[in-house]
Amino acid sequence: MSAAAPGLVWLVGAGPGDPDLITALGSRLLGIADVVVYDAAVQQALIDAAPVTAERIPVAASGDPAAAAGGTAGVLVSRALQGKSVVRLFVGDPFVFSCGAEEALACAAAGVEFRVVPGICVPLAAATCAGIPLTHRDVASCLTMTAAEVDAANDSLRAWRGIAEAADTLVFPIAAGKAGEFTRLLTENGRDRNSPVAFIHSASLTDQRVTTSTLGAAGDLTAECSSIQDVVCVVGDAVRLRESLKCSRERKGHGLSGRRIVVTRSQDQAGGLAADLIKAGADVELFACIRIEPLDDYTSLDRELLNAAAYRWVVFTSPNAVEAVAARLDALHCDARLFASSRIAAIGQATGAALRRCIGLLADFTPRTALAEGLIDDWPDRDFKGMRVLLPRAVEARPLLPQWLEEQGVSVTVAACYRTVPAGASAANLCQEIAAGRIDAITFASASTVRAFAAAIESNSPGSARLLLKDVALAAIGPVTADALHALGLTPSIVATEHSIAGLVAKMEEYFGTVDHHAHAPPPDVTGDAQPGS
């Protein structure tokens, strides 16, 4: 047997912390990796993005960077020589305050091909996330970023005098327990005691915290940074701009500010809800517990579409149904003219929008509420005699609407056009986050997501769903989804009045804005006796 062709090592920057801040290329590479070697501080969501078959190897922190780089490089080289695609994930950027350069050199020495994918450097990202511009034409034209060690035995080193006076803005990642020594070294080596200072930890994450003061007045404030591993310190007049430039999520008036919210929709549908939640100030975690799948056989649906002229009404109950029908029209080399003799009903504004976007049809009728019940209550055509209705929809859809139409004497043809199945995602990490109190709310946009989510939770920890979710706000897009929660012994805290994505987000903002559920909200700035700019 011939030896495997050498693989490729990708040195990928994972960004400052938030999994969404990895580059698009880094995310794509994770999705096809054979091996993922990662810093222990990399967020679990990124590690989970690798294929289930990928080997996952954490890299423990080490007090000896050279030893850590050597050991890790050996793993990278050995896996690559086995012909595997290796993704090495670094917090921040591979070549900034990391061992990426050493590991790259080791790969080169071993004849292993490597490529580097930049990431957002943690110190720079921390300042931006805190609303502190590191350069500004009026207050900061020069920046110094250094990883100089704080060493009490070398307080008088000329290097520290140079650093203290080097630039308008100083940026330092600080080791745990060194914040107090850091501020003292700067002031004793020439930095003005009135210089504004900010300590930032957990940059870009839900529990990001920013502590501001001046170097001379920081005093005991540095004590709260003593046990934190990921503190970034920014010194300079640019810190004064934070109050005006800090992220809107930190300001009052955003009901979802700092909330961590789980979106359970299928991966290809989660974007709209996630985007609206993020705009409202939330941190979003995607947990796709269902998947929309095509059918094995479209013979029946195709036949009814080609015969659409025989139906007085064609009723679309969801955007998924619209998209499935649009795909079949393309496969049949047909278009919206098939429906020229029919009237079109759409349940919900989103379904109506999908009709316009995907098929070029305007709905003749949309009920006031986005439910089958709403369509029944508002049905405009009460001349049921001889009426035929085509209902393209999911295999698993509720029988309520066709049953009601049949009771009125309507001839109903239900044409399955897609199916909803559990995605099979592991809930282990999500369960840990919920148990640790890091999740504020979980959203459900359909009854199928409720059932699939509950099954995923139960598969990880049988019998634990009710207990695990008792302190988490469960948000349902409407009463049908809420009923699905009740059927499983779960109580929804939020039920949208308007049964749409916008309605769900609005109801969540109202809930978190008026009810005292602030356990996970980011704490306000902690400041010293002297304020920057006072």
Side-chain angles (χ1 to χ4, degrees):
M1 179 183 292
S2 59
L8 179 63
V9 173
W10 294 90
L11 305 172
V12 177
D18 184 339
D20 288 335
L21 294 182
I22 192 172
T23 62
L25 176 56
S27 182
R28 290 199 299 271
L29 292 171
L30 272 176
I32 59 174
D34 297 317
V35 182
V36 180
V37 181
Y38 57 94
D39 288 346
V42 169
Q43 293 293 298
Q44 187 65 41
L46 287 178
I47 302 163
D48 291 343
V52 294
T53 55
E55 182 182 11
R56 292 162 168 79
I57 305 172
V59 178
S62 171
D64 182 351
T72 303
V75 173
L76 302 181
V77 168
S78 67
R79 297 305 191 275
L81 291 177
Q82 294 171 16
K84 296 180 178 180
S85 175
V86 183
V87 170
R88 167 68 167 103
L89 275 180
F90 297 84
V91 172
D93 181 270
F95 282 4
V96 181
F97 303 145
S98 293
C99 296
E102 293 94 325
E103 293 174 18
L105 289 169
C107 289
V112 169
E113 184 178 0
F114 68 89
R115 297 178 190 173
V116 182
V117 179
I120 306 175
C121 172
V122 174
L124 299 183
T128 300
C129 290
I132 302 171
L134 293 179
T135 61
H136 186 284
R137 66 181 64 189
D138 295 329
V139 297
S141 60
C142 184
L143 164 70
T144 294
M145 184 170 66
T146 178
E149 292 293 328
V150 177
D151 186 348
N154 295 312
D155 287 355
S156 61
L157 284 177
R158 182 177 300 176
W160 270 102
R161 291 198 295 274
I163 290 171
E165 301 172 355
D168 298 326
T169 307
L170 304 177
V171 184
F172 287 77
I174 307 175
K178 299 295 184 180
E181 293 178 48
F182 169 82
T183 56
R184 179 180 59 79
L185 281 169
L186 286 178
T187 55
E188 290 184 359
N189 283 279
R191 194 74 178 194
D192 189 344
R193 292 175 55 84
N194 292 319
S195 292
V197 60
F199 297 101
I200 309 159
H201 71 74
S202 299
S204 80
L205 299 176
T206 310
D207 56 346
Q208 172 179 301
R209 185 163 185 174
V210 184
T211 304
T212 60
S213 184
T214 62
L215 282 177
D220 293 339
L221 290 179
T222 58
E224 69 180 76
C225 299
S226 295
S227 61
I228 299 170
Q229 298 290 335
D230 55 351
V231 176
V232 172
C233 181
V234 181
V235 179
D237 287 340
V239 173
R240 302 180 196 275
L241 300 177
R242 167 175 154 73
E243 190 57 37
S244 298
L245 298 179
K246 64 184 178 183
C247 178
S248 61
R249 65 190 295 170
E250 296 185 56
R251 299 175 185 151
K252 295 180 180 178
H254 288 258
L256 301 182
S257 295
R259 305 296 178 183
R260 189 157 188 82
I261 297 173
V262 175
V263 172
T264 59
R265 303 193 84 187
S266 62
Q267 189 167 6
D268 56 345
Q269 291 184 311
L273 176 55
D276 285 357
L277 289 170
I278 291 169
K279 185 177 180 180
D283 276 319
V284 173
E285 180 168 333
L286 302 181
F287 182 75
C289 55
I290 63 168
R291 184 173 64 249
I292 306 301
E293 285 194 347
L295 304 181
D296 296 328
D297 184 0
Y298 284 102
T299 303
S300 177
L301 175 63
D302 291 350
R303 181 178 64 249
E304 302 308 328
L305 291 177
L306 293 171
N307 191 41
Y311 293 97
R312 191 191 305 180
W313 284 92
V314 180
V315 180
F316 292 91
T317 60
S318 71
N320 289 327
V322 173
E323 292 169 5
V325 167
R328 293 316 302 164
L329 292 177
D330 285 343
L332 294 168
H333 304 290
C334 296
D335 57 26
R337 286 173 290 184
L338 284 181
F339 304 102
S341 301
S342 305
R343 299 180 71 184
I344 306 297
I347 297 183
Q349 297 298 325
T351 304
L355 275 168
R356 294 192 297 273
R357 182 180 69 253
C358 300
I359 304 179
L361 286 174
L362 291 176
D364 297 290
F365 167 59
T366 302
R368 288 169 295 176
T369 56
L371 296 167
E373 288 85 348
L375 190 144
I376 291 171
D377 291 340
D378 296 344
W379 187 260
D381 185 356
R382 297 287 166 166
D383 181 13
F384 296 112
K385 186 176 180 179
M387 182 185 296
R388 296 186 66 191
V389 173
L390 176 61
L391 189 54
R393 61 183 198 158
V395 172
E396 307 81 11
R398 292 189 298 156
L400 177 67
L401 179 57
Q403 284 179 355
W404 177 81
L405 288 169
E406 288 171 352
E407 289 171 359
Q408 314 312 309
V410 175
S411 174
V412 181
T413 300
V414 176
C417 56
Y418 69 96
R419 61 166 40 92
T420 302
V421 299
S426 171
N429 294 320
L430 179 58
C431 286
Q432 291 177 5
E433 290 194 68
I434 295 171
R438 291 194 289 267
I439 301 298
D440 293 285
I442 302 171
T443 62
F444 299 97
S446 67
S448 58
T449 58
V450 170
R451 291 187 288 269
F453 179 83
I457 296 293
E458 288 292 327
S459 67
N460 178 74
S461 183
S464 68
R466 293 185 199 180
L467 180 62
L468 187 66
L469 300 174
K470 64 181 179 65
D471 295 323
V472 179
L474 305 181
I477 200 169
V480 175
T481 305
D483 287 345
L485 286 165
H486 284 299
L488 295 172
L490 302 172
T491 303
S493 303
I494 301 162
V495 180
T497 306
E498 176 192 329
H499 314 317
S500 65
I501 296 302
L504 178 60
V505 174
K507 200 67 174 180
M508 294 180 72
E509 287 188 285
E510 177 185 334
Y511 175 81
F512 282 109
T514 58
V515 181
D516 187 17
H517 293 289
H518 299 289
H520 310 303
D525 280 5
V526 179
T527 55
D529 295 332
Q531 300 296 320
S534 61

